[in-house]
């Protein structure tokens, strides 16, 4: 059985606690994917020390040279894409096309970072005084603590690690305990590419210990977190006390609206992929379907027919549409929401139960589930379930559709299917979300555009593309006065 160690200061080392934990396959709980270090606070502090020690060196390496190492690491991911996707499917349960996509996302992010090595643009501006230049530079910040979730085990760590390193920071990564193998492989690719030891460190173990230690350590200057709003709020609290820079990418409750003018077959493809892709375990998953009354009955009939025919099972089998959920606790949580939905008066149309018997017995499978007659105030209309559960609403107008869509605390992704140009334009204007899709599902972000949400989905930062570099850099403003006299801003004004 493969034993993975922590990566600290360029060495693969065991945890100081002497303890380990197992990473198991959610489709077949008998299969242990790997054994990982159950680290303690001391291991995190050693990793932060190593990152702190390397920071003065790494930040002086010219950005285009840092970028070269990231490019080599990305090429290693390209070569190993299929092998990495298979490992990820075994540890996370997503079907193979999706895990290939996850690795591809890391590849896209790596190549983008490579290009950014020769950009990292800043700006100059005229001074208000003569013989004086005013310039700005982006500077790295220091040690970054990255805490990541299990649903995108390589893509999300890559969104954080590549830009943080390119900008000249050093990093300590704490991956989700459900999926530490894929992120270990990302770290190995960077090691093989020649990243100096200590620049990137990797420590596994429980969030309540390893994650908390990163939050509390005074030498960690930035915390970048993706995960639940509950943990995100705790992170903001602790990191706020220590005045760390914090970026939070949190939960979602994403709506898809379908209007009468829509191409209904296309809207159907969109909602099935958006709601049941990744077994509904995406922050951008479609968890609410808002149907105009004129097409409601027809669309529901089409939807049930399609969902009945989804093939659920072994995610390594190329013909499978949907794999298991991540673990037993998550399956129980999904089922708890289903029970609440029934109790509050929503009508269960299909699914609503764990899948048992062959081939499901050894994994955490749950039937794709659809509720109708859902009212906006209900728990299943408001809270993130993070599983294959879709809540359907019937509305009379576009305005009502927007009201229902916006009536949640989250604001990550949103979608409308319509062939009416004005409706599409209004949706862009009215939907309260960081991302709006027209005639496409709520999932499917591209890595070179800003990614993130409003309201309780985050704290105003955007990952992806150029905007993520705002998280990992600070501005330095430089004034160069070559007048040879004392020129006092706001006091000595320019006169003809
Ligand atoms: P989670 O339970 O919040 O865990 C996320 C990470 O935080 C894990 O590494 C976890 O460690 C760690 N953690 C737990 N408690 C901690 C603490 N007290 N201090 C510091 N770290 C702690 O989330 P998840 O279940 O892995 O992921 C699902 C959530 O992520 C959903 O809400 C989803 O919407 C959100 N998500 C958001 C985005 C986005 O970009 N907006 C993208 C993907 C997912 P352990 O694994 O050891 O518990």
């Amino acid at each position: 059985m493969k034993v993975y160690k922590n990566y600290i200061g360029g060495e693969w080392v065991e945890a100081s606690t002497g303890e380990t934990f197992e990473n198991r396959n959610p489709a077949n709980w008998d299969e242990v994917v790997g054994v990982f270090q159950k680290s303690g606070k001391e291991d995190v502090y050693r990793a932060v020390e190593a990152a702190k020690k390397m920071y003065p060196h790494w930040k002086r390496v010219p950005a285009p040279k840092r970028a070269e190492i990231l490019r080599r690491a990305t090429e290693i991911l390209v070569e190993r894409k299929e092998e990495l996707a298979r490992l990820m499917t075994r540890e996370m349960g997503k079907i193979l096309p999706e895990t290939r996509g996850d690795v591809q996302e890391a590849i896209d992010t790596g190549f983008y970072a490579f290009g950014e090595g020769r950009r990292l643009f800043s700006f100059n501006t005229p001074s208000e005084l003569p013989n004086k230049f005013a310039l700005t530079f982006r500077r790295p910040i220091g040690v970054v603590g990255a805490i990541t979730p299990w649903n995108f085990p390589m893509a999300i760590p890559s969104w954080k690690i590549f830009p943080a390193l390119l900008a000249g920071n050093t990093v300590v990564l704490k991956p989700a305990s459900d999926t530490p193998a894929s992120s270990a492989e990302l770290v190995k690719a960077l090691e093989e590419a020649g990243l100096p030891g200590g620049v990137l460190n990797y420590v596994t173990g429980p969030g309540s210990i390893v994650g908390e230690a990163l939050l509390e350590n005074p030498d960690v200057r930035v915390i970048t977190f993706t995960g639940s709003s509950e943990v995100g709020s705790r992170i903001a609290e602790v990191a706020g006390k220590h005045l760390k820079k914090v970026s939070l990418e949190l939960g979602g409750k994403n709506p898809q609206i379908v209007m009468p003018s829509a191409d209904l077959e296309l809207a159907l493809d969109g909602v099935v992929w958006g709601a049941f892709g990744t077994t509904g375990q995406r922050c951008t998953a479609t968890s609410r379907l808002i149907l105009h009354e004129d097409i409601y009955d027809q669309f529901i009939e089409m939807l049930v027919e399609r969902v009945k025919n989804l093939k659920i099972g072994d995610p390594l089998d190329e013909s499978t549409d949907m794999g298991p959920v991540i673990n037993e606790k998550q399956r129980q949580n999904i089922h708890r929401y289903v029970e609440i939905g029934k109790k509050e008066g929503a009508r269960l149309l299909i699914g609503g139960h764990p899948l048992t018997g062959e081939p499901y017995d050894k994994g955490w499978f749950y039937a794709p589930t659809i509720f109708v007659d859902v009212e906006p105030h209900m728990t299943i209309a408001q809270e993130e379930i993070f599983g294959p559960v879709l809540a359907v609403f019937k509305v009379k107008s576009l305005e009502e559709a927007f009201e229902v869509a916006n009536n949640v605390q989250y604001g990550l992704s949103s979608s409308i299917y319509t062939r009416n140009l004005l409706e599409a334009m209004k949706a862009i204007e009215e939907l309260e979300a960081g991302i709006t899709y027209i005639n496409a599902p709520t999932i499917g972000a591209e890595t070179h555009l800003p990614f993130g949400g409003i309201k309780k989905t985050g704290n105003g930062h955007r990952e992806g593309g150029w905007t993520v570099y705002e998280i990992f850099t600070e501005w330095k403003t430089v004034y160069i006065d070559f007048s040879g006299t004392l020129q006092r801003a706001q006091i000595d004004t320019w006169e003809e």
Side-chain angles (χ1 to χ4, degrees), residues 438-478:
I438 308 296
N439 294 324
T442 58
I443 65 178
E446 299 181 27
T447 59
H448 57 298
L449 282 113
F451 181 89
I454 63 171
K455 302 198 269 191
K456 284 199 174 169
T457 292
N459 64 342
H461 291 282
R462 290 291 181 272
E463 294 193 319
W466 62 99
T467 42
V468 70
Y469 290 88
E470 291 293 342
I471 298 172
F472 297 120
T473 55
E474 273 171 343
W475 289 103
K476 168 164 288 196
T477 305
V478 177

Side-chain angles (χ1 to χ4, degrees), residues 147-152 156 159 174-178 205-208 211-212 215 225-229 231 234-235 249-252 282-283 384 386 412 451 457 463:
I147 304 175
T148 52
W150 46 262
N151 63 339
F152 280 84
I156 291 180
W159 290 1
K174 182 258 175 282
S177 299
D178 280 308
S208 55
E212 290 279 338
L215 305 182
F225 171 80
T226 301
S228 61
S229 294
V231 176
R234 159 90 191 144
I235 285 179
E249 295 286 347
L250 309 174
R282 287 198 190 204
C283 50
E384 184 183 45
F386 224 55
L412 182 51
F451 181 89
T457 292
E463 294 193 319

